[in-house]
Amino acid sequence: MSTPPPPYVPGHALLQGRTAVVTAAAGAGIGGATARRLLEEGARVVLSDAHARRLKESAAALAAEFGADRIAALPCDVTDEEQVAALFDFVVERHGCLDVVVNNAGLGGTADLVEMTDAQWDRVLDVTLTGTFRCTRAALRRMKAAGAGGVVVNNASVIGWRAQRGQAHYAAAKAGVMALTRCAAVEAAAYGVRVNAVSPSLAMHPHLVKVTTPELLRELTAREAFGRWAEPWEVANVIVFLASGYSSYLTGEVLSVSSRHP
């Protein structure tokens, strides 16, 4: 038996006046939900995504709702170091500060290990793990230089902890994101920056429907204690918590956003 999603939680000005960057923020997934939640909590948000058209459409819709002065967008492929540097330079030049970074960009896929090619492995690792590294490095360099603290929140996955057939590359990448989060947190604490991660199990969005079979979705959903998948905004709520002052003594942690049972 499944339980219905809870009512949508209104904003409480938890990030009033802060400047935030969200990668892979176009569309209806966790990135898009996070951008909206940050705006509802009072932040100025710079959206980024590798898909320029979808990014432009998402930014226009949010600007119409929250005001153009609080929304900016810049395409960025996280596998390209020059584009990553340009994104973070753009944020600092536009707003004069960088307070929150949400590293949401990731790439999955399904292939048994014996059939997986080097190209498949490399592509998933480059976007999901190395892309998170590039953005975290860029953020920490600028936050350290500014000396005003800051927060980085990475998007991991329960697959970084739990095995699933056909997901060796994605699982390795997400486990790497968790380890990167812990190591970065130890280093960044010296200059007042916190680094944490969320680890969702099953959050529904249109892209997941396209790349996952109905049979697998039913199987995964049945393993959730609530008998349903998470709404993207439910994951975004935990990201907001990690970005806010409510988690001021929390760093190097990976929070499971999951109702999954064995």
Side-chain angles (χ1 to χ4, degrees), residues 26-138:
I30 293 172
T34 299
R36 172 173 288 278
R37 295 275 24 195
L38 294 173
L39 286 162
E40 289 169 345
E41 295 295 346
R44 299 179 295 267
V45 178
V46 177
L47 311 176
S48 181
D49 202 286
H51 301 277
R53 179 187 57 80
R54 290 193 317 183
L55 178 64
K56 182 178 180 180
E57 292 171 352
S58 297
L62 290 172
E65 185 173 352
F66 293 97
D69 59 322
R70 294 180 56 204
I71 294 289
L74 188 71
C76 177
D77 179 348
V78 297
T79 69
D80 186 317
E81 171 59 21
E82 290 186 1
Q83 291 189 39
V84 170
L87 170 63
F88 286 92
D89 286 342
F90 171 78
V91 176
V92 174
E93 290 168 5
R94 181 180 177 91
H95 295 294
C97 62
L98 174 63
D99 301 307
V100 177
V101 175
V102 180
N103 289 317
N104 177 64
L107 179 69
T110 301
D112 283 354
L113 195 60
V114 294
E115 303 295 337
M116 190 179 296
T117 66
D118 283 10
Q120 287 175 302
W121 174 273
D122 290 343
R123 178 62 176 163
V124 169
L125 268 289
D126 196 16
V127 174
T128 307
L129 176 55
T130 311
T132 300
F133 154 71
R134 292 186 187 100
C135 291
T136 300
R137 179 178 61 186

Side-chain angles (χ1 to χ4, degrees), residues 159-170:
I159 290 181
W161 284 315
R162 300 167 179 162
Q164 184 173 313
R165 179 171 180 168
Q167 297 294 308
H169 47 1
Y170 189 65

Side-chain angles (χ1 to χ4, degrees), residues 3-262:
T3 59
Y8 193 83
V9 181
H12 291 79
L14 298 181
L15 298 169
Q16 193 70 40
R18 308 292 294 279
T19 296
V21 181
V22 186
T23 64
I30 293 172
T34 299
R36 172 173 288 278
R37 295 275 24 195
L38 294 173
L39 286 162
E40 289 169 345
E41 295 295 346
R44 299 179 295 267
V45 178
V46 177
L47 311 176
S48 181
D49 202 286
H51 301 277
R53 179 187 57 80
R54 290 193 317 183
L55 178 64
K56 182 178 180 180
E57 292 171 352
S58 297
L62 290 172
E65 185 173 352
F66 293 97
D69 59 322
R70 294 180 56 204
I71 294 289
L74 188 71
C76 177
D77 179 348
V78 297
T79 69
D80 186 317
E81 171 59 21
E82 290 186 1
Q83 291 189 39
V84 170
L87 170 63
F88 286 92
D89 286 342
F90 171 78
V91 176
V92 174
E93 290 168 5
R94 181 180 177 91
H95 295 294
C97 62
L98 174 63
D99 301 307
V100 177
V101 175
V102 180
N103 289 317
N104 177 64
L107 179 69
T110 301
D112 283 354
L113 195 60
V114 294
E115 303 295 337
M116 190 179 296
T117 66
D118 283 10
Q120 287 175 302
W121 174 273
D122 290 343
R123 178 62 176 163
V124 169
L125 268 289
D126 196 16
V127 174
T128 307
L129 176 55
T130 311
T132 300
F133 154 71
R134 292 186 187 100
C135 291
T136 300
R137 179 178 61 186
L140 294 185
R141 283 174 173 171
R142 288 155 180 80
M143 289 174 172
K144 182 178 181 180
V151 179
V152 176
V153 183
N154 295 324
N155 192 357
S157 169
V158 294
I159 290 181
W161 284 315
R162 300 167 179 162
Q164 184 173 313
R165 179 171 180 168
Q167 297 294 308
H169 47 1
Y170 189 65
K174 289 300 189 179
V177 168
M178 295 177 181
L180 170 65
T181 297
R182 290 187 287 266
C183 291
V186 171
E187 296 180 17
Y191 40 93
V193 176
R194 298 186 296 107
V195 186
N196 292 293
V198 294
S199 177
S201 55
L202 184 62
M204 184 52 62
H205 55 87
H207 180 67
L208 183 61
V209 174
K210 294 178 183 178
V211 300
T212 309
T213 66
E215 293 77 19
L216 181 57
L217 280 176
R218 282 194 294 270
E219 177 187 342
L220 295 176
T221 302
R223 295 180 65 182
E224 297 292 323
F226 292 139
R228 65 174 178 87
W229 53 70
E231 299 295 329
W233 61 264
E234 292 180 289
V235 180
N237 283 348
V238 181
I239 293 173
V240 165
F241 162 71
L242 291 174
S244 77
Y246 281 115
S247 60
S248 61
Y249 201 67
L250 191 66
T251 196
E253 295 295 334
V254 181
L255 296 190
S256 176
V257 190
S258 171
S259 68
R260 200 173 186 185
H261 59 81

